[in-house]
Amino acid sequence: MPTNFTVVPVEDGRKPAQGDSDDNNVLKEEDEETVGDGNPRESSPFIHNTDDYKGTLYDGKNMALFEEEMDSNPMVSSLLSKLANYTNLTQGVREHEEADEDEGAKKKTVKSPQMGTFIGVYLPCLQNILGVILFLRMTWIVGTAGILESFIIVSMCCSCTMLTAISMSAIATNGVVPAGGSYYMISRSLGPEFGGAVGLCFYLGTTFAGAMYILGTIEIFLTYIVPSAAIFKAEEKALEAEAMLNNMRVYGTCCLTLMAVVVFVGVKYVNKLALVFLACVVLSILSIYAGVFKTIFEPPVFPVCLLGNRTLQNHGFDKCMKTDIIDNVTVTTRLWALFCNGPELNASCNEYFSLNNVTEIQGIPGLTSGAISENMWGSYGPAGMMVEKDLPSVPAIASPQDKDMPYVVNDITTFFTLLVGIYFPSVTGIMAGSNRSGDLRDAQRSIPIGTILAIATTTIIYLSCVVLFGACIDGVVLRDKFGDSVKGNLVIGTLSWPSPWVIVIGSFFSCCGAGLQSLTGAPRLLQAIARDGIVPFLEVFGHGKANGEPTWALLLTALICESGILIASLDAVAPILSMFFLMCYLFVNLACALQTLLRTPNWRPRFKFYHWTLSFLGMSLCLALMFISSWYYALVAMLIAGCIYKYIEYRGAEKEWGDGIRGVSLNAARFALIRLEEAPPHTKNWRPQLLVLLNLDTELSVKHPRLLSFTTQLKAGKGLTIVGSVLEGTYLTRDTEAKQAEQNIKSAMSAEKTKGFCHVVVSSNQRDGISHLVQSAGLGGMKHNSVLMAWPGNWRQSNDPQSWKSFIETVRETTAAHLALLVAKNVDSFPHQERLSEGTIDVWWIVHDGGMLMLLPFLLRQHKVWRKCKMRIFTVAQLDDNSIQMKKDLQMFLYHLRLNAEVEVVEMHDSDISAFTYEKTLVMEQRSQMLKQMQLSRTEREREAQLIHDRNTASHAALNDKADAAPERVHMTWTKEKFFTERNRNREHNATMAVRDLFNMKPEWESLNQSNVRCMHTAVKLNEVVVNKSQGAHLVLLNMPGPPRNRGGDENYMEFMEVMMEGLNRVLLVRGGGREVITIYS
């Protein structure tokens, strides 16, 4: 069961970009690069993966604002195209034959997984759940525990697996789960310590399951098929059990060796035979039901001989009678010879034999016989206790010779908890579907449905078998484990139709197949654990043959399996593997419960029918079943898991303790901070840790308290929040004011229900103070990764240009520090605590800078204020992009992200730059030059600003009619004909006439900076499209372009941002921090 997840490119006829290589086309869930703690670090194909864009320059006008960052932040259309070229195929194992054939041959086309729910999940789970216990021990459990207690045993075990399946479905549908099953899910949900400990327990359970299936195979072979093949034969009845165990050891070792060779030579043969083994199971079960209903009309003839009320082994005699009359002469039978010293009628006989008569009853009385009332209650007893029927008999003094008499006796001491441990392996195998997740067409749909349906089916089969066995078969035959009372037939086989051999042969091949699959799966699980590198002493088992076969892991698996075979008793091995499987299921439930309670942003399972209480109930039931089955085995299993956990956790690290409770608490906090500082958080654990920059008024009160409200709605009390502000001056002169400001901020935080820390810095100027906060806020690993601030709305009217220059420098510093930046425009209009009515949160995804735009609406909608809002995602397509394909790719991307949102692709072509754009650019440049060259007084500046504003308004009104008369340039669907028509029209007509006419209208336009014109064109066009689509949205999220690298154009940058957001009420500008913050993986 390999755990590495590889995404392989699929040929789609597109020509790869210059500079592409095979290495760049492989996306691994976790690459080989490691960080401080030795754990693998996630690699992303989207951020800082610029190889695909080398040598490619952006040549359009619509996205000019973003062109300086195209090398690191690709266009959304490029991202979606890249995603569409990948498919999630598991890293399979190639066989010897395939490796030889492929050597030097042409690379084959990789096919995407096509297995559905029925073939890929339901049938494998059915095959793994139904098995040896059903055929060899189910009748004995029903006879020993009775129908009522057997019903309780089956219900408890099936409830445990059903609850575990619900938790597993939630985990398995929380993203793309590569192959690896429970080990992958637990290790990625609870960390490497739990993952390694439970993964090894699951490996041991799978290995001992292989031993149990092999022992079952040998028991069927030696007891029911070829009893004469036994090597060790007992001279006395008391030694028969020991001889049988020796035979099991010898034949089991031979069978294990043969199966290991088959697995070593070629696993593909095992996989091809899986359908045959499944057919054997299904046919056997169908024959049981057919036989049950046949007993209503014609019960099968299987007579059982009783001496008094004691059941006799029907091996050494042919007639159930003491004497027989032949030719009018009374002669003794072979049964007489078993209890008497000789065949004479006056021979000395066993006292009980002499005092009681021999009677013959039907072993299968039938469904309507009323046997169900007799078998309702249990019949436990010690080893050696005789199997007796509720009939009158004459008691006799027990003698030592009784143990040599052909009575049916208990081979082991029976009690309720023992039967639980023996039965539980018959409900394992529920992970078969999740182990095949990489081969499924839609794993997130197939795994829950297939697994739960398989468990429901097998539960019905088991519960119906309990009732039907108790209603059809006599109690003494049910308690006869090896069928000695029915001439050595398999007890369940006596019920089958048309012949007992259907069950015998079917169960034999079923056990063989299950054993082979265990020996196939266990080495791969060990290899996956070894390759993860979390248990250093296991690293040698990560190596294998050239084709990936885990040779060393298979050898270790065979040795551990041999230790189970040397135990030689199916009843002794079953509780051992029950412990390991129960521990695995316990941690699956724990993982689901913790993820649900922690409510991490990445926890978005598509399977919705789960709850943390169900997971805790399943976990409690697993723990109870562990101690019910065998408390000492449970302690040993927990000790093994605990040792592995501690070994992984503390290898190479020193554990330090403080003094007293406070010392322990402080040390734990220190240890946690150090662990956090060792490496950045994984993408799955990433959530915005905010540094909120507040402005204070002259009375040191918070200017924009709604910024704190928005913080509360975004964080919901989770993660880190640091609220910071800056006072100008020196700390020595303003320390009192700083404390007062801090108190005011804390009061505002309390009023807005914002949980976090407050930090007020006194600095010589605003810009340096914000820089200090950005650099130094937080402690160790508890540092912010995002900055939230308000847009300086009055920057045009400000007397001091430092206000907007400080803002732009903050943008630059957050980019340099790799922090995400959130800028809220019109923050005072944001909702306080009132719930918004149904509306939309619109995301305009223009460039991909880590996925912040996707994550923020999901986090906001967790809060009651935004809960009723729907999420809409708009992205922009250029003229040569396929908008229909982009929409499909974006919908698939959102499906894998488990996000529900409406998708719309807006097409923008390279239209001519309008006169309105030139006029806006001219006004902007004139204003900039005047403010630089003239030393104006405050009154003059206000008058000049008003003049420019009036002039801008007049120009806008004059050109409005022309803009309205122009045809609509935003199309939602491009056809090939429309593409060529528009391009030719633009090239021939607009390129010659329109530009010349514009420059004739105002000659000064010709002297404008063309870079500014193009950027203004981008802002105007984007604003038109956004206002058209999202003017009524409750919140609009936009990509925030970075400021120009040339600082001389800073004031122009502010103007571009204003134009882009003009006409929108609530806007949140988002700038990523240079890393992925959302992932499709589990």
Side-chain angles (χ1 to χ4, degrees):
M1 287 181 283
T3 58
N4 290 334
F5 180 72
T6 305
V7 181
V8 183
V10 178
E11 296 293 335
D12 65 344
R14 298 181 186 178
K15 185 176 179 181
Q18 185 179 358
D20 279 0
S21 66
D22 290 341
D23 294 338
N24 292 332
N25 287 333
V26 176
L27 163 63
K28 293 187 178 178
E29 198 271 336
E30 291 181 12
D31 62 8
E32 299 297 328
E33 187 180 359
T34 57
V35 287
D37 58 354
N39 293 330
R41 183 172 63 189
E42 186 177 55
S43 173
S44 168
F46 310 132
I47 294 295
H48 301 315
N49 187 5
T50 60
D51 292 341
D52 291 341
Y53 307 100
K54 286 179 182 177
T56 303
L57 296 176
Y58 181 71
D59 197 22
K61 298 189 287 290
N62 287 330
M63 296 295 116
L65 274 177
F66 302 93
E67 64 182 352
E68 289 185 351
E69 298 171 320
M70 288 294 176
D71 54 346
S72 60
N73 296 342
M75 287 291 296
V76 174
S77 57
S78 303
L79 169 75
L80 294 176
S81 174
K82 193 164 188 164
L83 284 173
N85 290 338
Y86 284 87
T87 176
N88 56 336
L89 292 178
T90 54
Q91 205 171 23
V93 179
R94 294 179 300 172
E95 300 301 324
H96 286 264
E97 297 82 357
E98 294 170 354
D100 294 338
E101 289 171 4
D102 291 346
E103 216 171 50
K106 207 184 207 179
K107 194 172 180 183
K108 295 181 180 178
T109 305
V110 180
K111 294 182 180 179
S112 59
Q114 293 299 324
M115 296 179 72
T117 303
F118 186 74
I119 298 294
V121 180
Y122 181 77
L123 290 183
C125 285
L126 211 64
Q127 181 182 359
N128 280 265
I129 294 172
L130 300 172
V132 61
I133 300 297
L134 172 64
F135 299 123
L136 295 184
R137 293 292 182 268
M138 194 68 182
T139 53
W140 175 71
I141 291 173
V142 174
T144 304
I147 295 175
L148 192 61
E149 292 184 27
S150 299
F151 208 87
I152 294 173
I153 292 173
V154 173
S155 299
M156 279 198 308
C157 296
C158 291
S159 299
C160 175
T161 54
M162 180 61 80
L163 291 171
T164 303
I166 291 172
S167 299
M168 185 195 72
S169 297
I171 298 174
T173 59
N174 187 49
V176 180
V177 178
S182 60
Y183 166 67
Y184 180 90
M185 291 188 290
I186 295 172
S187 61
R188 271 57 178 178
S189 298
L190 293 181
E193 294 89 357
F194 278 113
V198 182
L200 284 176
C201 286
F202 190 51
Y203 162 74
L204 292 174
T206 307
T207 305
F208 276 102
M212 183 187 73
Y213 289 127
I214 292 173
L215 291 174
T217 303
I218 302 306
E219 182 177 313
I220 294 170
F221 179 75
L222 291 179
T223 308
Y224 306 111
I225 299 179
V226 191
S228 59
I231 299 173
F232 300 94
K233 299 181 188 283
E235 299 295 332
E236 301 177 9
K237 185 185 174 185
L239 301 177
E240 285 180 357
E242 186 62 33
M244 184 62 180
L245 293 179
N246 289 330
N247 285 319
M248 298 280 281
R249 292 184 180 105
V250 173
Y251 276 98
T253 302
C254 297
C255 184
L256 171 63
T257 305
L258 179 62
M259 288 184 175
V261 170
V262 170
V263 172
F264 178 80
V265 170
V267 182
K268 65 179 180 181
Y269 302 113
V270 178
N271 295 330
K272 288 179 179 178
L273 289 173
L275 195 59
V276 177
F277 299 140
L278 176 62
C280 292
V281 175
V282 174
L283 287 175
S284 300
I285 292 173
L286 291 177
S287 71
I288 294 171
Y289 283 106
V292 167
F293 290 108
K294 184 176 178 294
T295 61
I296 301 175
F297 314 103
E298 186 184 348
V301 179
F302 284 98
V304 176
C305 191
L306 300 178
L307 176 61
N309 63 350
R310 298 177 182 178
T311 310
L312 299 179
Q313 295 182 356
N314 197 350
H315 290 305
F317 58 91
D318 52 352
K319 294 181 179 180
C320 184
M321 54 181 66
K322 294 182 180 180
T323 59
D324 194 8
I325 298 176
I326 301 175
D327 297 331
N328 294 325
V329 178
T330 302
V331 295
T332 58
T333 61
R334 294 173 63 183
L335 179 60
W336 179 283
L338 294 175
F339 285 90
C340 301
N341 294 333
E344 299 84 8
L345 290 172
N346 59 355
S348 176
C349 296
N350 179 272
E351 183 183 2
Y352 189 83
F353 180 78
S354 302
L355 296 174
N356 291 276
N357 294 324
V358 176
T359 56
E360 189 175 75
I361 64 171
Q362 277 299 321
I364 313 293
L367 192 62
T368 58
S369 63
I372 189 169
S373 58
E374 177 189 345
N375 296 325
M376 188 62 68
W377 309 106
S379 179
Y380 301 105
M385 185 188 81
M386 298 175 189
V387 176
E388 298 177 343
K389 190 172 177 62
D390 189 15
L391 291 175
S393 65
V394 180
I397 301 173
S399 65
Q401 288 77 23
D402 286 346
K403 65 181 180 180
D404 297 323
M405 297 297 107
Y407 295 124
V408 178
V409 298
N410 286 352
D411 62 328
I412 59 173
T413 302
T414 55
F415 42 91
F416 178 80
T417 56
L418 172 73
L419 299 184
V420 174
I422 293 174
Y423 172 75
F424 187 80
S426 67
V427 297
T428 59
I430 63 174
M431 300 291 183
S434 62
N435 291 344
R436 295 167 178 247
S437 58
D439 301 322
L440 299 173
R441 186 184 305 115
D442 187 356
Q444 296 190 5
R445 178 179 178 273
S446 296
I447 289 177
I449 296 175
T451 305
I452 291 174
L453 281 181
I455 294 175
T457 303
T458 52
T459 302
I460 293 171
I461 290 174
Y462 284 135
L463 292 175
S464 63
C465 283
V466 168
V467 177
L468 294 177
F469 291 166
C472 293
I473 306 175
D474 194 273
V476 293
V477 180
L478 286 174
R479 295 196 296 277
D480 183 4
K481 183 186 290 185
F482 301 107
D484 292 319
S485 62
V486 286
K487 295 186 177 180
N489 279 296
L490 182 61
V491 174
I492 197 173
T494 61
L495 195 60
S496 67
W497 180 86
S499 168
W501 285 102
V502 176
I503 293 288
V504 173
I505 301 301
S507 59
F508 178 79
F509 283 110
S510 170
C511 292
C512 284
L516 281 171
Q517 289 184 339
S518 295
L519 290 178
T520 303
R524 280 157 181 74
L525 178 58
L526 180 62
Q527 186 183 46
I529 298 171
R531 285 181 172 176
D532 269 358
I534 57 177
V535 185
F537 66 82
L538 292 178
E539 288 182 0
V540 65
F541 299 107
H543 306 294
K545 295 188 294 185
N547 61 359
E549 285 291 324
T551 310
W552 293 107
L554 177 61
L555 181 61
L556 179 64
T557 302
L559 291 175
I560 297 174
C561 193
E562 175 64 18
S563 67
I565 288 174
L566 292 178
I567 297 174
S569 172
L570 187 70
D571 303 321
V573 172
I576 297 176
L577 66 99
S578 293
M579 292 304 109
F580 293 122
F581 277 120
L582 280 166
M583 180 165 290
C584 175
Y585 297 165
L586 183 148
F587 281 99
V588 169
N589 285 294
L590 176 63
C592 180
L594 288 182
Q595 294 274 31
T596 307
L597 291 175
L598 291 175
R599 298 174 65 187
T600 56
N602 192 59
W603 181 244
R604 302 185 299 276
R606 289 202 168 273
F607 180 78
K608 301 298 182 185
F609 305 101
Y610 70 95
H611 196 266
W612 66 268
T613 53
L614 294 178
S615 299
F616 268 113
L617 181 61
M619 184 179 67
S620 304
L621 194 53
C622 288
L623 190 63
L625 286 173
M626 286 177 68
F627 283 93
I628 288 173
S629 302
S630 176
W631 63 269
Y632 45 90
Y633 280 158
L635 291 177
V636 170
M638 294 173 73
L639 180 64
I640 293 173
C643 291
I644 298 170
Y645 177 92
K646 288 299 179 183
Y647 173 76
I648 296 172
E649 183 181 12
Y650 293 111
R651 60 186 175 95
E654 293 182 5
K655 184 175 180 180
E656 298 178 3
W657 296 94
D659 296 326
I661 295 176
R662 181 172 176 80
V664 171
S665 301
L666 289 173
N667 191 69
R670 182 195 65 84
F671 180 75
L673 284 172
I674 291 176
R675 287 290 300 273
L676 282 175
E677 197 174 18
E678 288 177 1
H682 193 277
T683 302
K684 294 184 297 185
N685 296 326
W686 196 95
R687 65 163 73 241
Q689 317 286 5
L690 290 180
L691 170 62
V692 184
L693 299 179
L694 290 180
N695 293 324
L696 304 178
D697 57 20
T698 54
E699 298 178 357
L700 302 180
S701 298
V702 178
K703 271 188 179 180
H704 304 294
R706 293 294 175 89
L707 202 61
L708 294 176
S709 301
F710 184 72
T711 302
T712 304
Q713 295 155 16
L714 184 63
K715 300 292 290 179
K718 307 289 183 182
L720 175 69
T721 301
I722 301 174
V723 181
S725 188
V726 177
L727 295 180
E728 292 189 8
T730 62
Y731 187 76
L732 292 177
T733 58
R734 304 201 65 179
D735 60 327
T736 306
E737 295 174 321
K739 292 177 182 178
Q740 181 62 43
E742 189 170 331
Q743 192 61 42
N744 293 344
I745 292 175
K746 287 181 178 179
S747 299
M749 291 172 65
S750 177
E752 303 295 338
K753 299 181 179 179
T754 304
K755 298 178 181 178
F757 307 96
C758 178
H759 195 182
V760 175
V761 171
V762 180
S763 179
S764 57
N765 58 71
Q766 189 86 4
R767 179 178 174 278
D768 289 343
I770 293 177
S771 178
H772 296 156
L773 278 175
V774 169
Q775 294 177 61
S776 61
L779 176 63
M782 291 293 287
K783 291 185 69 68
H784 56 279
N785 55 29
S786 308
V787 176
L788 173 62
M789 60 192 303
W791 172 261
N794 59 345
W795 67 275
R796 284 171 171 163
Q797 290 78 32
S798 175
N799 300 323
D800 186 5
Q802 290 301 320
S803 62
W804 53 265
K805 286 186 177 181
S806 175
F807 172 80
I808 295 178
E809 289 304 312
T810 303
V811 176
R812 288 194 173 105
E813 285 179 357
T814 55
T815 303
H818 302 291
L819 301 175
L821 178 63
L822 312 178
V823 179
K825 182 193 176 187
N826 296 334
V827 68
D828 293 329
S829 68
F830 276 50
H832 180 46
Q833 294 179 2
E834 65 277 9
R835 300 190 182 190
L836 293 173
S837 59
E838 291 185 0
T840 61
I841 300 176
D842 287 359
V843 176
W844 283 86
W845 195 24
I846 301 168
V847 296
H848 180 70
D849 57 355
M852 280 284 287
L853 285 169
M854 304 293 175
L855 187 63
L856 292 175
F858 169 77
L859 295 176
L860 281 175
R861 292 181 67 242
Q862 304 303 302
H863 196 272
K864 62 181 181 180
V865 171
W866 302 89
R867 191 161 295 156
K868 292 184 179 180
C869 296
K870 293 181 179 179
M871 181 177 170
R872 294 195 303 178
I873 296 182
F874 297 86
T875 188
V876 176
Q878 298 300 302
L879 190 62
D880 52 350
D881 288 331
N882 186 339
S883 60
I884 297 176
Q885 187 61 40
M886 278 182 66
K887 184 172 183 179
K888 291 180 180 177
D889 295 340
L890 181 53
Q891 287 172 337
M892 182 57 64
F893 184 49
L894 292 175
Y895 177 82
H896 285 305
L897 289 175
R898 290 93 64 206
L899 292 174
N900 296 319
E902 296 179 13
V903 174
E904 192 169 338
V905 177
V906 178
E907 295 184 355
M908 295 176 61
H909 59 79
D910 286 342
S911 60
D912 291 324
I913 300 174
S914 64
F916 175 68
T917 301
Y918 278 102
E919 186 65 18
K920 293 279 286 186
T921 309
L922 178 63
V923 172
M924 178 187 71
E925 290 192 358
Q926 287 177 349
R927 178 183 184 278
S928 176
Q929 290 171 4
M930 282 188 290
L931 290 179
K932 285 180 181 177
Q933 295 173 4
M934 299 176 61
Q935 299 294 328
L936 300 176
S937 65
R938 180 176 179 180
T939 306
E940 291 171 333
R941 284 193 184 186
E942 289 180 356
R943 188 185 307 117
E944 182 68 17
Q946 185 63 39
L947 178 64
I948 292 173
H949 180 266
D950 295 342
R951 187 178 178 184
N952 183 14
T953 305
S955 299
H956 191 289
L959 294 169
N960 223 7
D961 296 336
K962 294 182 181 180
D964 292 341
E968 179 65 29
R969 296 297 182 91
V970 178
H971 304 284
M972 291 309 298
T973 304
W974 281 95
T975 62
K976 194 172 184 180
E977 292 76 10
K978 198 181 289 185
F979 172 90
F980 286 112
T981 301
E982 190 68 31
R983 185 179 64 180
N984 292 335
R985 189 162 62 88
N986 285 340
R987 286 180 179 177
E988 295 173 7
H989 179 71
N990 293 342
T992 56
M993 299 297 298
V995 175
R996 189 173 64 230
D997 292 342
L998 287 173
F999 287 167
N1000 289 337
M1001 191 185 306
K1002 284 208 172 183
E1004 59 266 35
W1005 287 352
E1006 221 170 341
S1007 62
L1008 293 175
N1009 186 317
Q1010 289 304 305
S1011 176
N1012 286 342
V1013 173
R1014 291 169 65 244
C1015 289
M1016 182 64 76
H1017 176 68
T1018 298
V1020 170
K1021 295 297 292 182
L1022 274 179
N1023 178 256
E1024 288 177 3
V1025 174
V1026 175
V1027 169
N1028 181 39
K1029 296 288 182 181
S1030 302
Q1031 192 166 22
H1034 286 315
L1035 180 64
V1036 177
L1037 280 77
L1038 283 169
N1039 282 116
M1040 182 179 185
R1045 292 168 187 170
N1046 178 14
R1047 295 176 186 267
D1050 282 354
E1051 64 275 13
N1052 297 338
Y1053 171 77
M1054 297 294 290
E1055 191 69 37
F1056 297 147
M1057 293 296 97
E1058 283 285 0
V1059 171
M1060 191 170 69
M1061 295 185 291
E1062 191 174 4
L1064 299 173
N1065 183 20
R1066 301 188 189 111
V1067 180
L1068 186 66
L1069 294 174
V1070 180
R1071 186 165 174 79
R1075 61 159 294 169
E1076 291 288 337
V1077 301
I1078 194 168
T1079 177
I1080 65 173
Y1081 299 110
S1082 172

